[in-house]
Amino acid sequence: MRPVDTLISARWVVPVVPRGAVLADHSVAVEGGRIAAVLPTALARTQFAPVRHVELPQHVLAPGLINAHAHAAMNLLRGAGDDLPLARWLNERIWPLERALVSERFVYDGTRLAAAEMLRAGITCCNDMYFFPEQAARAFAELGMRCVVGIIALEFPSAYAADADDYLRKGLAARDALRGEPLVGFSLAPHAPYTVADATLARVAMLAEELDVPVHTHVHETAAEVEESVRLHGVRPLERLDRLGLVSERLLAVHAVHLLPEEIARLAQRGASVAHCPASNLKLASGFAPTAALLGQGVKVAFGTDGAASNNRLDLFEEMRLAALLAKGAANDASALPAWQALECATMHAAGALGLSDQIGSIEVGKNADLIAVDLSGPETQPCPDVVSQLVYCAGREHVSGVWVAGDRVVADRRIMRNERQVDYEPIAASALYWQARVHAAGRASPLRVT
Amino acid sequence: MRPVDTLISARWVVPVVPRGAVLADHSVAVEGGRIAAVLPTALARTQFAPVRHVELPQHVLAPGLINAHAHAAMNLLRGAGDDLPLARWLNERIWPLERALVSERFVYDGTRLAAAEMLRAGITCCNDMYFFPEQAARAFAELGMRCVVGIIALEFPSAYAADADDYLRKGLAARDALRGEPLVGFSLAPHAPYTVADATLARVAMLAEELDVPVHTHVHETAAEVEESVRLHGVRPLERLDRLGLVSERLLAVHAVHLLPEEIARLAQRGASVAHCPASNLKLASGFAPTAALLGQGVKVAFGTDGAASNNRLDLFEEMRLAALLAKGAANDASALPAWQALECATMHAAGALGLSDQIGSIEVGKNADLIAVDLSGPETQPCPDVVSQLVYCAGREHVSGVWVAGDRVVADRRIMRNERQVDYEPIAASALYWQARVHAAGRASPLRVT
């Protein structure tokens, strides 16, 4: 009998790799935070002597979901500017509030709240972009959540940094400071072609090679930014990024709503990835991303929640389902983006986009034990003729009963855990209330224009 | 001190009428199944001596949501035909399975499962259309859920009825049999213009006047059915319905995806209502309904889940949020269908569409006490600067902690209740498993074509 830390025995295991597999009555053995074996439960009982044996008789065990695009700290701005056109949303609500409020504490508190929401929703890894990435990383790590935080770069000053060089310097210092954190990774995150100058983008391209990290940036979210680029630079933003050496397998292009057929082909040829954010694109009326066409050309499409100010949920079950539904509507084809593919996007495609496809994204021996248990026994998920369809089309975050990151159980029966002990939610709730009052006061100081 | 059955004291009450009101620290007094008073909690404590006092310190109390279009029994076909084009979905999956399986027992069991799902999701009333409406009504009533069941009419035979006359005869008999059930109402439900002949539609129009009930029918769901009508009848379906006297304030037109501007104007002029089913329309790639334009012209737009075979959730929180998001995307206007209006659609508009606007749809004195409590204290719904935005954009069915129908608490802490006792979920779960096996066997008998 081989000793292991944890044995998880589930009614079904959906490993995502190999594609389409649904393993009935299988177990996953976890040792040292990694997956040691995937095998029939009957066999596992004879081979493993686990310290902890978790039995999930009505559940599916799947890889943790990966949020490919978030501004986690913006959870504190949730509901602060709904139902507004994009320009008013940015100019009259989000930017003034950020100018008034963003600080180390804001980012730490907001990210901790967001991590609590995401973990309970079965998200085990978040690709984040915001000011003060060191504080974001510390909040994620504290709650035991895996993250890739962006070394953000912008040309304009903020409470965090003065100019593009300052952003990059501080981001690189954060990376150095957090080198020992096994759950924390970094990307280079130039905010967007319309907020970052050529010289900075060229430097980002060089740094990305040097540090061997992905490049996380907003691309073609709105028709207006594409037009503006043509006016200012003579080319569309993707062409500009390409000339600066940024369209490669390192690129994670967020949104990618407004794409010409040749741009889709270029993303495919270069091996770039897309972070599709369907709820945010609808809420801000940005347009309909050509998801089915991107997938058809072989582009890795991952899903992102975007920030809570434009969603307002950090819920990848919601995004998986919405992406699958919206792809059908937008492509006028009910067979577009089927359930198995939506699950693949939210796991393996995202892992690949982040350069982590050998670490996370599937239940395979040697990978990190980033796992979620989803209870399919309730009236919302019965009958259950097809486990993967049920996961994508019926289940919600509320059915996530257990979550593990690197083998540590971080959610048990909807409660947030760390090292086998329940995490106190009170300080998180209290900080949300504190910031709600601060947001309210700041909103009064710079009210919406009367139109 | 006035004795009442129940006093519910909530952090917030959102009565829906008057529009936009959010009443902090208010209470609702319930007597004889109806709302006896809505007043500040401090005052309520001095005026009422309740048998039961429910305190909801972190919750919003809102009217129960109304599902304006469902085929509840189809919960048993959930996941049986996903990701297929509409024609194959109908011809190769749904219709063969229905021919093989639909029976009194199927409808009773499926509706009971659906009612359990809907109640837990805060849906207190369902407008249903399916075979064997008497069994559907009995299942709803047994679980204490309000329903309007359709006296369904089709030209083609089924296990339920032989021809249109037989459908109508049986439906009218069901109405007579259930006259004493206070939670059960009826509509006339000719399935769709493409499945019902002129003579039957004319009879339905007459009967609707005679019985004073709404007419619940599918209208302009797909582009193909509109074209077919032009070919066969020389006019679009809505024009045909109008000539037969069916476009009136009684009409609840389900889907209404493909509408010309003059058809939107006609629906508005006649006072007809629309049941918008955004998830179903996307999943079957039916098209994008002109929701913002319909609302702009003053048409009452309610929301429906459709059946679980084309959704696959009976979850109006999901439909509210999706309708609000999709309206923005489809109208290219982020201010389209704001949160307050989405909530109004899911409550007052639906009540109006069903001819029940004096009975349900808002928290007003004299109306039925159909209420839901939504817990906003978790990390998914904090901070909470705007209660209505939180309800529509952040909250999910999982935050529904309590549900009352006509004053009876039918959900308490996510458990289904009836007359103060927990309802046994085991028989419901067992019947779902039984039908899953039957569906599986029937599916093997008529497999999908290999394409």
Side-chain angles (χ1 to χ4, degrees):
Chain A
M1 298 285 276
R2 177 176 163 192
V4 287
D5 296 332
T6 307
L7 186 68
I8 309 171
S9 302
R11 176 70 187 88
W12 302 281
V13 173
V14 172
V16 177
V17 174
R19 178 178 287 172
V22 177
L23 311 172
D25 299 314
H26 268 57
S27 291
V28 174
V30 178
E31 177 62 23
R34 293 193 175 260
I35 296 167
V38 184
L39 73 177
T41 296
L43 211 57
R45 290 187 195 280
T46 69
Q47 294 190 356
F48 291 102
V51 177
R52 281 173 298 273
H53 189 186
V54 180
E55 308 215 39
L56 304 168
Q58 301 173 310
H59 304 64
V60 53
L61 192 70
L65 305 181
I66 300 169
N67 188 353
H69 178 62
H71 311 291
M74 292 183 82
N75 261 42
L76 297 177
L77 301 179
R78 171 149 54 200
D82 292 316
D83 302 319
L84 292 170
L86 179 64
R88 294 192 64 202
W89 178 77
L90 271 176
N91 292 310
E92 296 180 44
R93 297 299 297 176
I94 300 306
W95 288 343
L97 289 172
E98 287 187 334
R99 273 194 297 273
L101 298 171
V102 169
S103 65
E104 292 201 353
R105 188 80 212 178
F106 179 94
V107 172
Y108 173 82
D109 285 349
T111 305
R112 196 171 53 156
L113 177 67
E117 178 179 7
M118 286 192 270
L119 286 174
R120 276 163 50 100
I123 299 171
T124 52
C125 178
C126 177
N127 182 42
D128 200 56
M129 178 200 286
Y130 208 60
F131 308 103
F132 297 101
E134 183 170 341
Q135 277 61 40
R138 291 195 188 283
F140 282 122
E142 202 178 294
L143 284 182
M145 184 168 170
R146 194 178 301 281
C147 64
V148 176
V149 294
I151 297 171
I152 191 173
L154 292 165
E155 302 302 329
F156 61 78
S158 67
Y160 172 52
D163 57 26
D165 278 351
D166 196 30
Y167 280 98
L168 289 172
R169 188 180 321 118
K170 284 176 171 153
L172 292 168
R175 181 168 170 272
D176 287 338
L178 288 158
R179 222 175 260 280
E181 280 288 352
L183 297 177
V184 176
F186 279 82
S187 74
L188 281 156
H191 171 263
Y194 59 88
T195 50
V196 183
D198 282 3
T200 308
L201 290 170
R203 193 168 160 221
V204 162
M206 213 183 57
L207 275 171
E209 287 301 315
E210 199 179 305
L211 308 177
D212 189 21
V213 296
V215 176
H216 175 199
T217 187
H218 298 91
V219 176
H220 294 207
E221 179 176 9
T222 65
E225 78 194 56
V226 176
E227 287 160 25
E228 192 196 47
S229 173
V230 172
R231 206 168 55 244
L232 294 177
H233 302 282
V235 292
R236 291 162 63 92
L238 195 68
E239 170 68 25
R240 188 170 147 242
L241 291 178
D242 202 10
R243 291 181 186 180
L244 293 163
L246 280 161
V247 182
S248 72
E249 73 290 341
R250 296 198 182 284
L251 179 65
L252 177 53
V254 179
H255 298 307
V257 171
H258 298 275
L259 294 177
L260 303 172
E262 56 268 33
E263 291 172 329
I264 295 175
R266 186 183 303 192
L267 289 170
Q269 284 152 11
R270 302 291 164 82
S273 304
V274 162
H276 173 43
C277 305
S280 172
N281 292 163
L282 288 175
K283 187 143 186 280
L284 299 175
S286 306
F288 296 94
T291 320
L294 284 162
L295 287 164
Q297 298 255 339
V299 175
K300 282 189 295 291
V301 176
F303 301 145
T305 58
D306 212 343
S310 65
N311 188 324
N312 307 350
R313 296 165 73 140
L314 305 192
D315 177 357
L316 231 43
F317 276 90
E318 192 77 9
E319 302 299 327
M320 271 202 296
R321 182 174 193 267
L322 182 55
L325 295 178
L326 200 57
K328 298 176 206 318
N332 194 24
D333 174 4
S335 65
L337 196 31
W340 65 264
Q341 194 169 33
L343 183 61
E344 191 172 273
C345 290
T347 54
M348 274 309 286
H349 284 208
L354 298 175
L356 297 173
S357 55
D358 59 338
Q359 295 295 315
I360 56 176
S362 62
I363 301 183
E364 293 180 273
V365 172
K367 282 199 175 181
N368 283 291
D370 291 10
L371 304 166
I372 61 174
V374 185
D375 184 349
L376 298 183
S377 65
E380 296 83 10
T381 46
Q382 286 293 321
C384 180
D386 180 329
V387 172
V388 174
S389 159
Q390 218 76 352
L391 267 179
V392 172
Y393 292 126
C394 306
R397 57 186 175 188
E398 69 270 26
H399 300 112
V400 175
S401 63
V403 179
W404 293 259
V405 176
D408 185 34
R409 187 158 188 168
V410 287
V411 174
D413 297 327
R414 315 283 307 127
R415 293 188 309 277
I416 300 168
M417 313 284 291
R418 192 81 174 102
N419 303 319
E420 302 292 313
R421 293 173 59 179
Q422 191 171 337
V423 170
D424 187 6
Y425 174 58
E426 279 314 308
I428 302 176
S431 74
L433 268 183
Y434 166 78
W435 286 107
Q436 182 177 326
R438 294 282 309 269
V439 169
H440 184 72
R444 277 174 180 270
S446 74
L448 284 169
R449 272 199 318 265
V450 178
T451 50
Chain B
M1 299 285 275
R2 177 176 163 192
V4 287
D5 296 332
T6 306
L7 187 68
I8 308 172
S9 301
R11 175 71 187 88
W12 301 282
V13 173
V14 173
V16 177
V17 175
R19 178 177 288 173
V22 176
L23 311 172
D25 299 314
H26 266 59
S27 290
V28 173
V30 178
E31 177 63 22
R34 294 195 176 259
I35 295 166
V38 184
L39 73 177
T41 295
L43 211 58
R45 289 187 195 281
T46 69
Q47 293 191 357
F48 291 102
V51 177
R52 280 172 299 275
H53 188 185
V54 180
E55 307 215 42
L56 305 169
Q58 301 175 308
H59 304 63
V60 52
L61 192 71
L65 305 181
I66 301 169
N67 189 352
H69 178 64
H71 312 291
M74 291 184 83
N75 261 41
L76 297 177
L77 302 179
R78 170 151 51 202
D82 292 316
D83 302 319
L84 292 171
L86 179 63
R88 294 192 63 202
W89 178 76
L90 272 175
N91 291 308
E92 296 180 43
R93 299 298 299 174
I94 300 308
W95 287 344
L97 289 171
E98 287 187 334
R99 275 194 297 273
L101 298 171
V102 169
S103 65
E104 293 200 355
R105 188 78 213 178
F106 179 95
V107 172
Y108 174 81
D109 285 347
T111 305
R112 196 172 52 157
L113 177 67
E117 178 179 7
M118 285 191 271
L119 286 174
R120 276 164 49 101
I123 299 170
T124 52
C125 177
C126 178
N127 182 40
D128 201 55
M129 177 201 285
Y130 208 61
F131 307 104
F132 298 101
E134 184 171 341
Q135 277 60 40
R138 291 196 188 281
F140 281 122
E142 204 180 290
L143 284 182
M145 183 167 171
R146 194 178 302 282
C147 64
V148 176
V149 294
I151 296 169
I152 191 173
L154 292 165
E155 302 302 330
F156 60 78
S158 67
Y160 172 52
D163 56 26
D165 278 352
D166 196 28
Y167 279 98
L168 288 173
R169 188 180 321 117
K170 285 177 169 151
L172 292 168
R175 181 169 171 273
D176 287 339
L178 288 157
R179 221 176 261 279
E181 280 288 352
L183 297 177
V184 176
F186 280 82
S187 73
L188 281 155
H191 171 263
Y194 59 88
T195 50
V196 183
D198 282 5
T200 307
L201 290 170
R203 196 171 157 218
V204 162
M206 215 183 55
L207 275 170
E209 287 302 315
E210 201 178 304
L211 308 177
D212 190 19
V213 296
V215 176
H216 175 198
T217 188
H218 297 92
V219 177
H220 294 206
E221 179 177 7
T222 66
E225 80 194 57
V226 177
E227 287 162 24
E228 192 196 48
S229 173
V230 173
R231 206 167 53 243
L232 294 177
H233 301 281
V235 292
R236 292 162 62 92
L238 195 68
E239 170 68 24
R240 187 169 148 243
L241 291 178
D242 202 12
R243 291 181 185 179
L244 293 162
L246 280 161
V247 182
S248 73
E249 72 290 340
R250 297 197 181 283
L251 178 65
L252 177 54
V254 178
H255 299 305
V257 171
H258 299 274
L259 294 177
L260 304 172
E262 56 268 33
E263 290 172 329
I264 295 174
R266 186 182 303 192
L267 289 169
Q269 284 153 13
R270 302 293 164 79
S273 304
V274 162
H276 174 42
C277 305
S280 173
N281 292 163
L282 288 175
K283 186 143 186 279
L284 300 176
S286 306
F288 297 94
T291 320
L294 285 161
L295 287 164
Q297 298 255 338
V299 175
K300 282 189 296 290
V301 177
F303 301 145
T305 58
D306 211 344
S310 66
N311 188 324
N312 307 350
R313 297 165 73 139
L314 305 191
D315 177 358
L316 268 201
F317 276 91
E318 191 78 9
E319 302 299 327
M320 271 202 295
R321 181 174 193 267
L322 182 56
L325 294 178
L326 200 57
K328 299 175 204 318
N332 194 24
D333 174 5
S335 65
L337 194 32
W340 66 264
Q341 194 170 32
L343 183 62
E344 191 173 273
C345 290
T347 54
M348 275 309 286
H349 284 209
L354 298 175
L356 297 172
S357 54
D358 58 339
Q359 295 295 316
I360 56 175
S362 62
I363 301 184
E364 292 180 274
V365 172
K367 282 200 175 181
N368 283 292
D370 291 10
L371 304 166
I372 61 174
V374 184
D375 184 349
L376 297 184
S377 65
E380 296 83 10
T381 46
Q382 285 295 321
C384 180
D386 179 330
V387 172
V388 174
S389 159
Q390 217 77 351
L391 267 179
V392 171
Y393 292 126
C394 306
R397 58 185 175 190
E398 70 269 26
H399 300 112
V400 175
S401 62
V403 179
W404 293 259
V405 176
D408 185 33
R409 186 157 189 169
V410 288
V411 173
D413 297 326
R414 314 282 308 126
R415 293 188 309 278
I416 301 168
M417 311 284 292
R418 191 83 174 99
N419 302 318
E420 301 292 314
R421 292 174 58 180
Q422 192 172 337
V423 170
D424 187 6
Y425 175 58
E426 279 314 309
I428 301 176
S431 75
L433 268 183
Y434 167 78
W435 285 106
Q436 183 177 324
R438 294 283 309 269
V439 169
H440 184 72
R444 276 173 181 273
S446 75
L448 284 168
R449 272 199 318 266
V450 178
T451 50

